[in-house]
């Protein structure tokens, strides 16, 4: 099993680190500007870069990033490392499209993705695998769930950025896994991991507190009778993980422990509506989020269709877990539908709904476990492969499609592949053509996948025994 976990981690991490997004996208850039300021000057002001990003906040005559500080704080080691291995950014370019400046920023983004986003997604893939194994008893069920989550959905593409969506999705999975494990033993240790994961998720995206509360309540109810110390450990770990870095950042940036960057947002009038842009859920917007041509989740992650069925199947044996997963995922979707800027601006798929993906994808393990006939498995594998291909195309081409495109999978994604306009690690830094860079990834990834599928005989025999037991149960 250790070999399986190592290969799975390597496959997911490599997939996220190999491809890249545009470093000067305002959402990426504003986080890096703040990180660079903290590392190089010891403050969080981005005054010098204010003309280069639309994502900013203004307080007392100074400009700051307008985001939750989590991703910036996590990326500080990458910003510091970039200054060590290459020159610090010592000048401000006259325009956003300065080639040298973009190259230096790309180095920082690539390091940050490799050290933060890709690591969290890979760890979440391992958590998904272990949770699936514990729910179904089958290594193949667990592998379908973990690959479907990490590579069959836009979690892959968003893990090539410093946006907070994919890390929050991964941390939700880690929290569910840890709180489930806490109910099986070593309660305090796993409860603390679960609490810390939820606290970090909120530090990365403040709205994660809503769906995170659903997970936290379920975890508390699960552990309360067994070990109340575990509930306390989870609460303390969550609060410490959230409040200590949040208040520290605020003291450095603003001189006060409690302030939200969104309070000073510049240029987005919609943020004045409701609670920082959150109003009430809108059914038609929810429909567009799920199946709309421009932003529909199921277009970019069709593998979530059987996953949804799998949550219903999960409820037969683990009702509380299934209800929690559905409720938390629905909370994310409803919050997205209530947001003034629900479509996310430049986005391939509904980026604000990405944190729901891991919660839904857990259903892939019980779905695969209930498949009896070869044709059922063949159809499911085909759907998984289609999802992986779609998200490979997105991750390599453009996870931040402009909102002017009617159906992004056709244009600009397919168009970018036809033109060879892809972002790969060797094409960014070694001068390889993008297509060759993509081919090199496929070669390495297929080798890792082949080794992953060549499981130990004990795992194969366990799967066979589980299928035999399942057949007996059905006959009964």
């Amino acid at each position: 099993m250790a070999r399986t976990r190592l290969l799975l981690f390597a496959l997911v991490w490599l997939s996220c680190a190999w491809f890249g997004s545009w470093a000067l996208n305002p959402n990426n850039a504003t986080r890096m500007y703040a990180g660079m300021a903290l590392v190089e000057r010891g403050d969080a002001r981005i005054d010098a870069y204010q003309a280069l990003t639309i994502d900013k906040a203004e307080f007392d005559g100074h400009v700051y990033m307008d985001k939750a500080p989590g991703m910036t704080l996590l990326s500080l080691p990458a910003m510091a490392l970039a200054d060590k291995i290459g020159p610090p950014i010592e000048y401000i370019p006259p325009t956003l499209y300065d080639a040298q400046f973009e190259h230096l920023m790309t180095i920082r983004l690539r390091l940050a993705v490799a050290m933060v986003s890709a690591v969290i997604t890979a760890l979440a893939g391992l958590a998904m695998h272990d949770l699936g194994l514990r729910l179904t008893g089958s290594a193949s069920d667990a592998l379908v769930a973990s690959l479907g989550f990490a590579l069959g959905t836009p979690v892959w593409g968003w893990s090539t950025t410093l946006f907070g969506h994919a890390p929050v999705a991964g941390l939700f999975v880690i929290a569910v896994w840890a709180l489930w494990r806490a109910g099986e033993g070593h309660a305090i240790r796993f409860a603390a991991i679960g609490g810390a994961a939820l606290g970090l998720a909120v530090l990365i995206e403040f709205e994660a507190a809503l769906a995170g509360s659903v997970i936290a309540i379920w975890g508390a109810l699960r552990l309360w009778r067994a070990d109340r110390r575990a509930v306390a450990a989870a609460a303390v770990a969550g609060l410490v993980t959230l409040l200590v870095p949040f208040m520290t950042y605020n003291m450095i940036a603003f001189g006060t422990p409690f302030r939200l960057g969104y309070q000073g947002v510049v240029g987005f009038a919609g943020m004045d509506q409701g609670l920082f842009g959150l109003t009430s859920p809108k059914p038609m917007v929810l429909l567009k989020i799920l199946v709309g041509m421009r932003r529909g989740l199921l277009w970019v992650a069709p593998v979530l269709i059987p996953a949804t069925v799998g949550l219903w199947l999960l409820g037969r044996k683990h009702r509380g877990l299934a209800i929690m997963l559905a409720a938390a995922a629905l909370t994310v979707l409803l919050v997205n539908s209530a947001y003034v800027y629900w479509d996310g601006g430049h986005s391939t798929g509904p980026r604000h709904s990405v944190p729901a993906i891991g919660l839904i994808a857990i259903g892939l393990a019980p779905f695969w476990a209930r498949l009896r006939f070869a044709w059922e498995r063949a159809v499911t594998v085909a759907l998984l492969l289609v999802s992986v291909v779609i998200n490979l195309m997105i991750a390599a081409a453009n996870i931040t499609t402009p909102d002017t495109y009617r159906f992004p999978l056709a244009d600009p994604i397919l168009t970018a592949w036809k033109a060879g306009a892809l972002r790969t690690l060797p094409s960014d830094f070694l001068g390889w053509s993008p297509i060759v860079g993509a081919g090199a990834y496929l070669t390495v990834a297929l080798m890792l996948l082949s080794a992953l599928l060549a499981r130990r005989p004990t795992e194969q025999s366990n799967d066979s025994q589980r299928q035999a037991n399942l057949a007996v149960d059905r006959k009964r």
Side-chain angles (χ1 to χ4, degrees):
M1 190 57 68
R3 172 177 171 269
T4 295
R5 291 170 180 165
L6 179 61
L7 289 169
L8 179 59
F9 182 93
L11 175 60
V12 175
W13 181 87
L14 177 74
S15 299
C16 298
W18 193 274
F19 300 103
S21 61
W22 186 38
L24 298 182
N25 176 286
N27 215 307
N28 281 326
T30 194
R31 289 180 164 95
M32 288 192 287
Y33 295 151
M36 289 154 51
L38 288 167
V39 167
E40 296 173 9
R41 299 195 311 272
D43 65 55
R45 292 176 294 183
I46 62 170
D47 296 344
Y49 301 101
Q50 62 174 305
L52 305 180
T53 179
I54 59 173
D55 288 347
K56 54 194 174 186
E58 187 172 347
F59 298 98
D60 305 320
H62 292 287
V63 179
Y64 304 84
M65 72 167 178
D66 60 345
K67 311 299 181 186
M71 291 303 289
T72 291
L73 296 177
L74 289 172
S75 68
L76 290 181
M79 300 300 111
L81 180 59
D83 283 352
K84 293 294 184 183
I85 64 176
I89 297 179
E90 298 177 346
Y91 75 103
I92 307 303
T95 68
L96 181 63
Y97 301 102
D98 182 271
Q100 182 182 358
F101 181 73
E102 182 175 352
H103 177 71
L104 294 175
M105 291 293 288
T106 299
I107 292 173
R108 284 156 175 78
L109 177 62
R110 288 294 198 160
L111 286 172
V113 165
M115 297 169 68
V116 181
S117 304
V119 171
I120 292 176
T121 297
L123 290 175
L126 296 184
M128 180 77 75
H129 186 273
D130 189 63
L131 181 60
L133 189 61
R134 291 174 183 281
L135 293 175
T136 67
S138 165
S140 60
D141 302 345
L143 188 60
V144 167
S146 57
L147 292 179
F149 158 71
L151 302 182
T153 72
V155 166
W156 185 355
W158 292 112
S159 296
T160 68
T161 74
L162 271 188
F163 289 55
H165 313 308
V168 170
L171 289 166
F172 278 174
V173 171
I174 292 170
V176 172
W177 162 78
L179 293 172
W180 184 263
R181 287 293 310 269
E184 296 180 334
H186 304 289
I188 294 178
R189 181 178 69 183
F190 284 109
I193 293 173
L198 292 176
L200 184 55
V202 178
L203 185 67
I204 291 172
E205 287 190 351
F206 295 134
E207 62 270 28
L210 299 173
S213 295
V214 177
I215 300 172
I217 292 171
W218 164 79
L221 293 175
R222 174 174 170 78
L223 299 175
W224 185 254
R225 291 183 179 179
D227 192 340
R228 297 184 182 182
R229 295 175 303 168
V231 178
V236 170
L239 289 173
V240 169
T241 305
L242 169 61
L243 293 179
V244 171
F246 174 70
M247 295 172 68
T248 301
Y249 169 81
N250 278 349
M251 289 300 297
I252 294 173
F254 312 120
T256 178
F258 295 105
R259 175 174 283 178
L260 303 180
Y262 292 117
Q263 291 174 286
V265 167
V266 175
F268 290 90
M271 296 296 286
D272 294 330
Q273 299 182 34
L275 179 64
F276 300 121
L278 289 179
T279 56
S280 59
K282 299 170 182 63
M284 287 307 298
V285 171
L286 181 59
L287 187 64
K288 292 177 182 179
I289 288 170
L290 293 175
V291 296
M293 294 287 289
R294 190 165 66 95
R295 287 291 182 267
L297 180 60
L298 296 183
W299 287 106
V300 293
V303 75
L304 294 182
I305 297 173
T308 304
V309 178
L311 290 183
W312 178 75
L313 295 171
L314 179 65
R316 295 180 177 181
K317 186 175 181 181
H318 302 291
R319 184 179 180 185
L321 174 61
I323 291 174
M324 179 277 293
L325 293 172
L330 182 60
T331 298
V332 174
L333 296 172
L334 290 176
V335 169
N336 191 172
S337 74
Y339 187 38
V340 172
Y341 302 109
W342 67 269
D343 66 348
H346 289 203
S347 174
T348 308
R351 65 183 178 93
H352 295 296
S353 289
V354 168
I357 287 176
L359 303 170
I360 300 171
I362 290 173
L364 284 170
F367 178 84
W368 183 263
R370 297 297 297 179
L371 298 182
R372 180 177 181 180
F373 301 106
W375 69 266
E376 294 176 315
R377 296 202 162 203
V379 170
T380 304
V381 168
L383 188 61
L384 175 59
L385 288 175
V386 168
S387 293
V388 170
V389 170
I390 288 173
N391 287 283
L392 167 62
M393 294 174 62
I394 293 172
N398 194 353
I399 191 62
T400 54
T401 299
D403 54 7
T404 54
Y405 291 90
R406 181 174 178 270
F407 187 56
L409 289 184
D411 187 17
I413 302 303
L414 185 57
T415 302
W417 274 82
K418 290 179 179 178
L422 312 177
R423 288 190 175 93
T424 72
L425 197 62
S427 60
D428 278 353
F429 298 107
L430 300 178
W432 296 14
S433 76
I435 295 299
V436 172
Y441 162 76
L442 288 173
T443 300
V444 178
L446 289 174
M447 291 172 60
L448 289 171
L449 182 61
S450 298
L452 191 58
L453 294 176
R455 295 172 299 157
R456 295 176 178 179
T458 53
E459 292 178 350
Q460 294 174 343
S461 62
N462 288 340
D463 278 1
S464 300
Q465 184 60 48
R466 183 194 61 80
Q467 289 296 325
N469 293 337
L470 183 59
V472 171
D473 290 341
R474 283 174 173 158
K475 289 179 180 179
R476 289 176 180 172

